Amino acid sequence: NSLIEGDSADKWTFGVITVGKRNEWVRKYIDSIRLQNIPHYEIIIVGTWTDEQTTGKDIKYIPFSEKDDRGWITRKKNIVFENAKYNNVLVLHDRFFLDKEWHNCIKKYGNYWDAIFFPIIDKTEQEYVHWSVWGHGLLPIGYADIKDWGEEYYCGGTFMAIKKNIWQKVKLDEKRFFNEQEDSEYGLRFTNKGYVIRANPLSKLHTF
């Protein structure tokens, strides 16, 4: 169900949401995308972004600062998907960049998925998996084994790759703002709709 005509592991839309305070980190993210040598890709920046050092035909900037005081990240992420050219869409907060082997490992993993997320390597070089678990209320984030999965598991909202044709059936709830359990609500609704969030152990992200 995940694949549509023309879909390919060599076609990606990369989104980043920002409020304009981390231009250097956004620049590093853009650089990490370009180093992948992906045949077909685009970069969509939603929020506030002014960086004269970083330009290119691969970048689309969509200004958006409405309700920034509350952190309207659900709207910003939906804007990325609405404008995405490709079916594979990865949306990040502005504190991540791609590992140099990210795309090569994407091709090894394959293109059959509804949504995937990745191990994170932090600034101390520690690697962890960002599963969270919803029980009776929100439980502490569990850095579980990458093979783990459960109906009450979800991926933390700082990043996720989702097929655009799947997102069109399960969009983020724009009534929710930052730190209002917008990620857990979305993850559970995604699963309840019959789609599966998978962990790709091969492709990795780095966080500042």
Short mmCIF file of all heavy atoms in Angstrom, two decimals, residues 15-19 21-30 32 73 77 91-98 120-123 128 130 141 143 156-159 178-179 182-183 205-208:
data_model
loop_
_atom_site.label_atom_id
_atom_site.label_comp_id
_atom_site.label_asym_id
_atom_site.label_seq_id
_atom_site.Cartn_x
_atom_site.Cartn_y
_atom_site.Cartn_z
N GLY A 15 12.39 18.32 4.64
CA GLY A 15 11.83 19.52 5.25
C GLY A 15 12.52 19.82 6.57
O GLY A 15 12.99 18.92 7.27
N VAL A 16 12.58 21.10 6.90
CA VAL A 16 13.06 21.50 8.22
C VAL A 16 12.20 22.66 8.70
O VAL A 16 11.87 23.56 7.92
CB VAL A 16 14.56 21.88 8.19
CG1 VAL A 16 14.83 23.05 7.26
CG2 VAL A 16 15.08 22.18 9.61
N ILE A 17 11.80 22.62 9.97
CA ILE A 17 11.03 23.72 10.56
C ILE A 17 11.93 24.47 11.51
O ILE A 17 12.73 23.87 12.24
CB ILE A 17 9.76 23.20 11.25
CG1 ILE A 17 10.08 22.26 12.40
CG2 ILE A 17 8.86 22.49 10.24
CD1 ILE A 17 8.85 21.86 13.23
N THR A 18 11.82 25.79 11.49
CA THR A 18 12.77 26.60 12.25
C THR A 18 12.13 27.94 12.60
O THR A 18 11.17 28.37 11.96
CB THR A 18 14.06 26.82 11.43
OG1 THR A 18 15.02 27.52 12.21
CG2 THR A 18 13.77 27.59 10.14
N VAL A 19 12.69 28.60 13.62
CA VAL A 19 12.25 29.94 13.98
C VAL A 19 13.36 30.96 13.74
O VAL A 19 13.28 32.10 14.19
CB VAL A 19 11.77 30.02 15.45
CG1 VAL A 19 10.52 29.18 15.65
CG2 VAL A 19 12.87 29.60 16.42
N LYS A 21 16.68 30.83 14.64
CA LYS A 21 17.73 31.00 15.65
C LYS A 21 18.88 30.01 15.49
O LYS A 21 19.83 30.04 16.26
CB LYS A 21 17.12 30.85 17.05
CG LYS A 21 16.10 31.93 17.38
CD LYS A 21 15.53 31.75 18.78
CE LYS A 21 14.52 32.83 19.12
NZ LYS A 21 13.95 32.65 20.49
N ARG A 22 18.79 29.13 14.49
CA ARG A 22 19.81 28.09 14.33
C ARG A 22 20.26 27.99 12.87
O ARG A 22 20.33 26.91 12.29
CB ARG A 22 19.26 26.74 14.80
CG ARG A 22 18.95 26.70 16.29
CD ARG A 22 18.23 25.42 16.66
NE ARG A 22 18.10 25.26 18.10
CZ ARG A 22 17.36 24.31 18.69
NH1 ARG A 22 16.71 23.43 17.94
NH2 ARG A 22 17.29 24.23 20.00
N ASN A 23 20.57 29.13 12.27
CA ASN A 23 20.96 29.12 10.86
C ASN A 23 22.17 28.24 10.59
O ASN A 23 22.25 27.57 9.56
CB ASN A 23 21.25 30.54 10.39
CG ASN A 23 19.97 31.32 10.09
OD1 ASN A 23 18.89 30.75 10.06
ND2 ASN A 23 20.10 32.60 9.87
N GLU A 24 23.12 28.24 11.51
CA GLU A 24 24.33 27.44 11.31
C GLU A 24 23.99 25.95 11.28
O GLU A 24 24.54 25.19 10.47
CB GLU A 24 25.34 27.72 12.43
CG GLU A 24 26.66 26.99 12.24
CD GLU A 24 27.68 27.34 13.31
OE1 GLU A 24 27.45 28.29 14.08
OE2 GLU A 24 28.71 26.64 13.38
N TRP A 25 23.06 25.53 12.14
CA TRP A 25 22.65 24.12 12.16
C TRP A 25 21.85 23.76 10.92
O TRP A 25 22.02 22.68 10.36
CB TRP A 25 21.85 23.83 13.42
CG TRP A 25 22.67 23.88 14.68
CD1 TRP A 25 24.00 24.18 14.77
CD2 TRP A 25 22.22 23.62 16.00
NE1 TRP A 25 24.40 24.13 16.08
CE2 TRP A 25 23.34 23.79 16.86
CE3 TRP A 25 20.99 23.27 16.55
CZ2 TRP A 25 23.25 23.61 18.24
CZ3 TRP A 25 20.90 23.10 17.92
CH2 TRP A 25 22.02 23.26 18.75
N VAL A 26 20.97 24.67 10.47
CA VAL A 26 20.21 24.43 9.25
C VAL A 26 21.16 24.32 8.07
O VAL A 26 20.99 23.48 7.19
CB VAL A 26 19.17 25.55 9.03
CG1 VAL A 26 18.49 25.38 7.66
CG2 VAL A 26 18.12 25.54 10.14
N ARG A 27 22.19 25.15 8.05
CA ARG A 27 23.19 25.11 6.98
C ARG A 27 23.89 23.75 6.95
O ARG A 27 24.11 23.18 5.88
CB ARG A 27 24.21 26.22 7.20
CG ARG A 27 25.15 26.46 6.02
CD ARG A 27 26.15 27.56 6.35
NE ARG A 27 25.44 28.75 6.83
CZ ARG A 27 25.84 29.48 7.88
NH1 ARG A 27 26.93 29.13 8.57
NH2 ARG A 27 25.16 30.55 8.24
N LYS A 28 24.22 23.22 8.12
CA LYS A 28 24.88 21.92 8.18
C LYS A 28 23.93 20.82 7.70
O LYS A 28 24.35 19.87 7.03
CB LYS A 28 25.35 21.63 9.60
CG LYS A 28 25.97 20.26 9.79
CD LYS A 28 27.36 20.34 10.34
CE LYS A 28 28.00 18.96 10.38
NZ LYS A 28 29.33 18.94 10.98
N TYR A 29 22.67 20.93 8.04
CA TYR A 29 21.67 19.97 7.55
C TYR A 29 21.61 20.00 6.03
O TYR A 29 21.63 18.95 5.38
CB TYR A 29 20.31 20.33 8.16
CG TYR A 29 19.14 19.54 7.64
CD1 TYR A 29 19.18 18.16 7.52
CD2 TYR A 29 17.96 20.20 7.27
CE1 TYR A 29 18.08 17.45 7.04
CE2 TYR A 29 16.86 19.50 6.81
CZ TYR A 29 16.93 18.13 6.69
OH TYR A 29 15.85 17.42 6.22
N ILE A 30 21.55 21.19 5.46
CA ILE A 30 21.51 21.32 4.00
C ILE A 30 22.76 20.72 3.38
O ILE A 30 22.69 19.97 2.39
CB ILE A 30 21.34 22.79 3.60
CG1 ILE A 30 19.95 23.29 4.03
CG2 ILE A 30 21.55 22.99 2.10
CD1 ILE A 30 19.77 24.79 3.90
N SER A 32 24.60 18.37 4.57
CA SER A 32 24.58 16.90 4.71
C SER A 32 23.66 16.26 3.68
O SER A 32 23.90 15.12 3.27
CB SER A 32 24.15 16.52 6.13
OG SER A 32 22.76 16.70 6.34
N ILE A 73 4.09 23.75 15.45
CA ILE A 73 4.91 22.85 14.64
C ILE A 73 4.07 21.90 13.81
O ILE A 73 4.50 21.45 12.74
CB ILE A 73 5.91 22.07 15.53
CG1 ILE A 73 5.18 21.24 16.58
CG2 ILE A 73 6.89 23.01 16.18
CD1 ILE A 73 6.11 20.37 17.42
N LYS A 77 4.80 21.42 9.84
CA LYS A 77 5.07 20.11 9.23
C LYS A 77 4.07 19.80 8.12
O LYS A 77 4.44 19.28 7.06
CB LYS A 77 5.06 19.02 10.30
CG LYS A 77 6.21 19.13 11.29
CD LYS A 77 6.08 18.10 12.41
CE LYS A 77 7.21 18.26 13.42
NZ LYS A 77 7.09 17.30 14.54
N VAL A 91 10.83 15.14 7.54
CA VAL A 91 10.72 16.45 8.19
C VAL A 91 11.46 16.40 9.52
O VAL A 91 11.22 15.50 10.34
CB VAL A 91 9.25 16.85 8.43
CG1 VAL A 91 9.17 18.25 9.01
CG2 VAL A 91 8.46 16.78 7.13
N LEU A 92 12.33 17.37 9.72
CA LEU A 92 13.13 17.43 10.95
C LEU A 92 12.93 18.76 11.66
O LEU A 92 12.62 19.77 11.04
CB LEU A 92 14.63 17.33 10.61
CG LEU A 92 15.15 16.14 9.81
CD1 LEU A 92 16.62 16.35 9.51
CD2 LEU A 92 14.96 14.87 10.60
N HIS A 93 13.14 18.76 12.96
CA HIS A 93 13.38 20.00 13.68
C HIS A 93 14.81 20.44 13.36
O HIS A 93 15.63 19.67 12.86
CB HIS A 93 13.20 19.79 15.18
CG HIS A 93 11.76 19.63 15.59
ND1 HIS A 93 11.20 20.33 16.64
CD2 HIS A 93 10.76 18.87 15.08
CE1 HIS A 93 9.93 19.99 16.77
NE2 HIS A 93 9.65 19.10 15.83
N ASP A 94 15.13 21.66 13.67
CA ASP A 94 16.39 22.26 13.19
C ASP A 94 17.58 21.95 14.09
O ASP A 94 18.39 22.83 14.37
CB ASP A 94 16.23 23.77 13.01
CG ASP A 94 15.78 24.48 14.28
OD1 ASP A 94 15.59 23.80 15.32
OD2 ASP A 94 15.62 25.71 14.24
N ARG A 95 17.73 20.71 14.49
CA ARG A 95 18.91 20.34 15.28
C ARG A 95 19.49 18.99 14.85
O ARG A 95 20.21 18.34 15.60
CB ARG A 95 18.58 20.30 16.77
CG ARG A 95 17.46 19.36 17.18
CD ARG A 95 17.28 19.40 18.70
NE ARG A 95 16.24 18.51 19.17
CZ ARG A 95 14.95 18.83 19.27
NH1 ARG A 95 14.54 20.02 18.89
NH2 ARG A 95 14.07 17.97 19.74
N PHE A 96 19.19 18.58 13.62
CA PHE A 96 19.67 17.30 13.11
C PHE A 96 20.40 17.49 11.79
O PHE A 96 20.19 18.46 11.07
CB PHE A 96 18.51 16.33 12.88
CG PHE A 96 17.80 15.91 14.13
CD1 PHE A 96 16.67 16.60 14.56
CD2 PHE A 96 18.25 14.84 14.87
CE1 PHE A 96 16.00 16.21 15.71
CE2 PHE A 96 17.59 14.44 16.03
CZ PHE A 96 16.47 15.14 16.44
N PHE A 97 21.25 16.51 11.46
CA PHE A 97 21.78 16.41 10.11
C PHE A 97 21.99 14.95 9.77
O PHE A 97 22.02 14.08 10.65
CB PHE A 97 23.09 17.22 9.95
CG PHE A 97 24.23 16.78 10.81
CD1 PHE A 97 25.21 15.93 10.31
CD2 PHE A 97 24.35 17.23 12.12
CE1 PHE A 97 26.29 15.54 11.10
CE2 PHE A 97 25.42 16.85 12.91
CZ PHE A 97 26.39 16.00 12.41
N LEU A 98 22.10 14.65 8.48
CA LEU A 98 22.16 13.27 8.00
C LEU A 98 23.57 12.71 8.12
O LEU A 98 24.55 13.40 7.84
CB LEU A 98 21.74 13.19 6.54
CG LEU A 98 20.40 13.81 6.13
CD1 LEU A 98 20.16 13.56 4.64
CD2 LEU A 98 19.26 13.28 6.96
N ILE A 120 19.56 7.84 16.43
CA ILE A 120 20.15 9.16 16.60
C ILE A 120 21.53 9.01 17.24
O ILE A 120 21.69 8.26 18.21
CB ILE A 120 19.28 10.04 17.53
CG1 ILE A 120 17.87 10.19 16.95
CG2 ILE A 120 19.92 11.41 17.73
CD1 ILE A 120 16.89 10.83 17.93
N ILE A 121 22.49 9.72 16.70
CA ILE A 121 23.83 9.79 17.30
C ILE A 121 23.99 11.18 17.89
O ILE A 121 23.93 12.18 17.17
CB ILE A 121 24.92 9.51 16.25
CG1 ILE A 121 24.72 8.13 15.63
CG2 ILE A 121 26.30 9.61 16.88
CD1 ILE A 121 25.64 7.83 14.46
N ASP A 122 24.17 11.26 19.21
CA ASP A 122 24.26 12.58 19.84
C ASP A 122 25.69 13.11 19.79
O ASP A 122 26.59 12.48 19.25
CB ASP A 122 23.69 12.55 21.26
CG ASP A 122 24.52 11.72 22.23
OD1 ASP A 122 25.71 11.46 21.95
OD2 ASP A 122 23.98 11.34 23.29
N LYS A 123 25.89 14.29 20.37
CA LYS A 123 27.19 14.95 20.25
C LYS A 123 28.29 14.23 21.01
O LYS A 123 29.48 14.49 20.78
CB LYS A 123 27.08 16.39 20.75
CG LYS A 123 26.71 16.55 22.20
CD LYS A 123 26.56 18.02 22.55
CE LYS A 123 26.17 18.21 24.01
NZ LYS A 123 26.01 19.65 24.35
N TYR A 128 21.21 6.07 20.09
CA TYR A 128 20.01 5.56 20.76
C TYR A 128 18.83 5.57 19.80
O TYR A 128 18.86 6.19 18.74
CB TYR A 128 19.70 6.35 22.03
CG TYR A 128 19.49 7.84 21.83
CD1 TYR A 128 18.24 8.37 21.61
CD2 TYR A 128 20.58 8.72 21.89
CE1 TYR A 128 18.05 9.72 21.45
CE2 TYR A 128 20.40 10.08 21.73
CZ TYR A 128 19.13 10.58 21.51
OH TYR A 128 18.96 11.93 21.34
N HIS A 130 14.70 6.19 19.32
CA HIS A 130 13.74 7.10 19.91
C HIS A 130 12.32 6.54 19.95
O HIS A 130 11.36 7.19 19.53
CB HIS A 130 13.76 8.42 19.12
CG HIS A 130 13.31 9.60 19.92
ND1 HIS A 130 13.32 10.88 19.43
CD2 HIS A 130 12.84 9.71 21.18
CE1 HIS A 130 12.87 11.71 20.34
NE2 HIS A 130 12.56 11.03 21.40
N ILE A 141 10.20 8.38 28.06
CA ILE A 141 10.70 7.91 26.77
C ILE A 141 11.55 6.67 26.98
O ILE A 141 12.43 6.63 27.82
CB ILE A 141 11.51 9.02 26.08
CG1 ILE A 141 10.56 10.12 25.57
CG2 ILE A 141 12.32 8.45 24.90
CD1 ILE A 141 11.26 11.30 24.98
N TYR A 143 14.26 4.18 25.39
CA TYR A 143 15.23 3.93 24.33
C TYR A 143 15.35 2.42 24.16
O TYR A 143 16.26 1.78 24.64
CB TYR A 143 16.57 4.58 24.68
CG TYR A 143 16.46 6.08 24.81
CD1 TYR A 143 16.95 6.76 25.91
CD2 TYR A 143 15.82 6.81 23.81
CE1 TYR A 143 16.83 8.14 26.01
CE2 TYR A 143 15.69 8.18 23.91
CZ TYR A 143 16.19 8.85 25.01
OH TYR A 143 16.07 10.20 25.12
N GLY A 156 9.13 9.80 18.67
CA GLY A 156 9.20 11.20 19.11
C GLY A 156 9.09 12.14 17.92
O GLY A 156 9.57 11.84 16.83
N GLY A 157 8.45 13.27 18.13
CA GLY A 157 8.06 14.13 17.01
C GLY A 157 9.16 14.98 16.41
O GLY A 157 8.89 15.81 15.54
N THR A 158 10.41 14.82 16.86
CA THR A 158 11.47 15.67 16.31
C THR A 158 11.81 15.34 14.88
O THR A 158 12.38 16.16 14.17
CB THR A 158 12.74 15.55 17.17
OG1 THR A 158 13.07 14.16 17.33
CG2 THR A 158 12.54 16.17 18.54
N PHE A 159 11.47 14.15 14.40
CA PHE A 159 11.65 13.81 12.99
C PHE A 159 10.86 12.54 12.68
O PHE A 159 10.60 11.72 13.55
CB PHE A 159 13.13 13.58 12.66
CG PHE A 159 13.68 12.32 13.27
CD1 PHE A 159 13.63 11.12 12.58
CD2 PHE A 159 14.24 12.34 14.53
CE1 PHE A 159 14.13 9.96 13.14
CE2 PHE A 159 14.74 11.18 15.10
CZ PHE A 159 14.69 9.99 14.41
N PHE A 178 3.39 22.73 20.18
CA PHE A 178 4.58 22.11 20.75
C PHE A 178 4.33 21.71 22.20
O PHE A 178 3.76 22.46 22.98
CB PHE A 178 5.76 23.09 20.67
CG PHE A 178 7.00 22.60 21.34
CD1 PHE A 178 7.77 21.59 20.78
CD2 PHE A 178 7.40 23.12 22.57
CE1 PHE A 178 8.91 21.12 21.41
CE2 PHE A 178 8.54 22.66 23.19
CZ PHE A 178 9.30 21.66 22.61
N ASN A 179 4.77 20.50 22.54
CA ASN A 179 4.69 19.99 23.90
C ASN A 179 3.24 19.78 24.36
O ASN A 179 2.96 19.82 25.55
CB ASN A 179 5.43 20.91 24.88
CG ASN A 179 5.92 20.16 26.11
OD1 ASN A 179 6.18 18.96 26.05
ND2 ASN A 179 6.05 20.85 27.22
N GLU A 182 1.55 16.28 20.75
CA GLU A 182 1.17 16.22 19.34
C GLU A 182 1.81 15.03 18.63
O GLU A 182 1.23 14.45 17.70
CB GLU A 182 1.55 17.53 18.62
CG GLU A 182 3.01 17.72 18.26
CD GLU A 182 3.94 17.89 19.45
OE1 GLU A 182 3.48 18.30 20.53
OE2 GLU A 182 5.14 17.62 19.28
N ASP A 183 3.00 14.61 19.10
CA ASP A 183 3.67 13.49 18.45
C ASP A 183 3.06 12.16 18.85
O ASP A 183 2.85 11.28 18.01
CB ASP A 183 5.18 13.52 18.75
CG ASP A 183 5.49 13.65 20.22
OD1 ASP A 183 4.55 13.73 21.04
OD2 ASP A 183 6.68 13.69 20.57
N LEU A 205 20.88 9.49 11.94
CA LEU A 205 20.90 10.94 12.04
C LEU A 205 21.83 11.36 13.16
O LEU A 205 22.03 10.62 14.13
CB LEU A 205 19.50 11.47 12.34
CG LEU A 205 18.40 11.22 11.31
CD1 LEU A 205 17.09 11.80 11.82
CD2 LEU A 205 18.75 11.80 9.95
N HIS A 206 22.37 12.55 13.03
CA HIS A 206 23.17 13.15 14.10
C HIS A 206 22.40 14.33 14.66
O HIS A 206 21.67 15.01 13.93
CB HIS A 206 24.50 13.63 13.56
CG HIS A 206 25.39 12.55 13.05
ND1 HIS A 206 26.41 11.97 13.81
CD2 HIS A 206 25.42 11.89 11.85
CE1 HIS A 206 27.02 11.04 13.10
NE2 HIS A 206 26.44 10.97 11.91
N THR A 207 22.53 14.57 15.97
CA THR A 207 21.92 15.73 16.58
C THR A 207 22.98 16.58 17.25
O THR A 207 23.97 16.08 17.79
CB THR A 207 20.85 15.31 17.61
OG1 THR A 207 20.31 16.48 18.22
CG2 THR A 207 21.42 14.40 18.68
N PHE A 208 22.75 17.90 17.18
CA PHE A 208 23.66 18.83 17.86
C PHE A 208 23.40 18.86 19.37
O PHE A 208 24.15 19.48 20.09
CB PHE A 208 23.47 20.24 17.30
CG PHE A 208 23.91 20.37 15.87
CD1 PHE A 208 22.96 20.39 14.86
CD2 PHE A 208 25.24 20.48 15.54
CE1 PHE A 208 23.36 20.51 13.52
CE2 PHE A 208 25.64 20.60 14.23
CZ PHE A 208 24.69 20.63 13.21
#
